[in-house]
Amino acid sequence: MKKTTIALILIPLIVNLSEVRSQAMTDTLPAVSTGEGLKKGPKEGATYILPASLLAYGWMKPVIPGIERLDDRIHDNIRRKHPDFKTSLDGYLQWAPSASIYAMDLVGVRTKHGFRDHLLIDAGSIVMAGGLGYAMRRIGRNFDVFNKGDSEFPSGHTTNAFRGAEIVRQELRHSHPVWSYSGYVLASAVGVLRLYNGQHYLTDVVAGAGLGILSTKLTYWAFGRLKTKSGKR
């Protein structure tokens, strides 16, 4: 029964991401005549594969015993080697990627959108991540493997960090392509700290990363659609 439930979760996820990817690619078609659409559309659409894969990995824990064993092994090794490790840095660091966007606005770094749009995108991605995360936690409570110790599936701190990291990537990927991935370094540090703090298992962190990235991508997709429609009025 639980395996059937996991399948019912994964299949709509894959189908919906495919539809969003197709729409994202279609929206770039007007630029094909310049050659720009051919380069950007498929490449950006294909980036939905990463968050979908991370989420799928997390949801496969109840049906693939090896994933749970890996979780336990990593968790036990960290607890054994660093039993006294404790820090609150991850609670602050999770906001660093999204906060850096406003710092860029302040110092005049060229980004894809302006300050007001950043506020809307940031708030929209928080709502998106919060809503999807709440639904995932409600479903996850039905599976014993997601309710071990004090952990919670998915990791909220990691979700928030990668949500902000994807905003940084989206805003800088054309003007500063190398620096656009700097947010992912900070977000990865948050994920590692959640493991070392003993707050989460690896699948919680991996799924949180996927959720954060996906939430921001869906927010940008919705934001672009709304801007396009408002521009046509």
Side-chain angles (χ1 to χ4, degrees):
M1 180 64 181
K2 291 185 176 181
K3 291 184 179 181
T4 302
T5 304
I6 290 292
L8 292 176
I9 293 170
L10 292 176
I11 292 173
L13 173 65
I14 294 171
V15 171
N16 287 337
L17 285 175
S18 298
E19 291 177 352
V20 171
R21 179 192 174 200
S22 297
Q23 185 61 59
M25 292 169 63
T26 301
D27 290 343
T28 64
L29 288 179
V32 169
S33 60
T34 64
E36 190 174 356
L38 288 173
K39 294 181 180 178
K40 295 179 182 176
K43 183 178 179 181
E44 181 60 21
T47 59
Y48 281 92
I49 295 173
L50 173 60
S53 299
L54 296 176
L55 284 167
Y57 177 82
W59 279 116
M60 290 303 290
K61 184 176 180 178
V63 295
I64 299 180
I67 294 178
E68 184 179 6
R69 286 196 296 269
L70 178 61
D71 270 3
D72 292 339
R73 189 180 305 123
I74 292 173
H75 182 270
D76 293 343
N77 284 340
I78 292 175
R79 291 295 88 199
R80 185 176 65 256
K81 295 179 179 179
H82 308 279
D84 300 322
F85 184 89
K86 201 69 179 176
T87 180
S88 59
L89 180 61
D90 48 354
Y92 302 100
L93 197 59
Q94 64 170 318
W95 296 103
S98 55
S100 68
I101 288 297
Y102 302 110
M104 294 177 202
D105 289 333
L106 186 63
V107 299
V109 175
R110 185 160 63 93
T111 56
K112 184 177 180 180
H113 297 92
F115 175 71
R116 286 186 296 180
D117 286 348
H118 289 159
L119 287 174
L120 293 174
I121 292 169
D122 193 21
S125 63
I126 289 174
V127 172
M128 183 76 73
L132 293 175
Y134 175 78
M136 288 178 65
R137 282 189 289 274
R138 293 281 292 183
I139 297 171
R141 287 170 188 164
N142 296 310
F143 300 91
D144 292 338
V145 294
F146 292 138
N147 296 280
K148 300 171 66 174
D150 297 326
S151 67
E152 190 171 48
F153 176 84
S155 166
H157 285 65
T158 310
T159 296
N160 193 37
F162 276 89
R163 175 195 65 80
E166 179 60 16
I167 293 178
V168 173
R169 192 192 75 84
Q170 292 279 354
E171 291 299 316
L172 296 180
R173 64 193 182 96
H174 295 310
S175 57
H176 304 280
V178 175
W179 283 104
S180 69
Y181 290 95
S182 59
Y184 278 95
V185 176
L186 295 174
S188 297
V190 171
V192 171
L193 289 176
R194 297 308 285 169
L195 293 175
Y196 272 77
N197 270 333
Q199 297 295 319
H200 289 286
Y201 290 88
L202 180 62
T203 45
D204 303 332
V205 170
V206 170
L211 175 60
I213 297 170
L214 178 63
S215 298
T216 295
K217 285 184 175 296
L218 291 176
T219 300
Y220 269 89
W221 176 76
F223 184 76
R225 297 280 291 177
L226 291 173
K227 291 277 283 189
T228 300
K229 288 183 179 179
S230 63
K232 292 179 180 179
R233 291 177 183 175

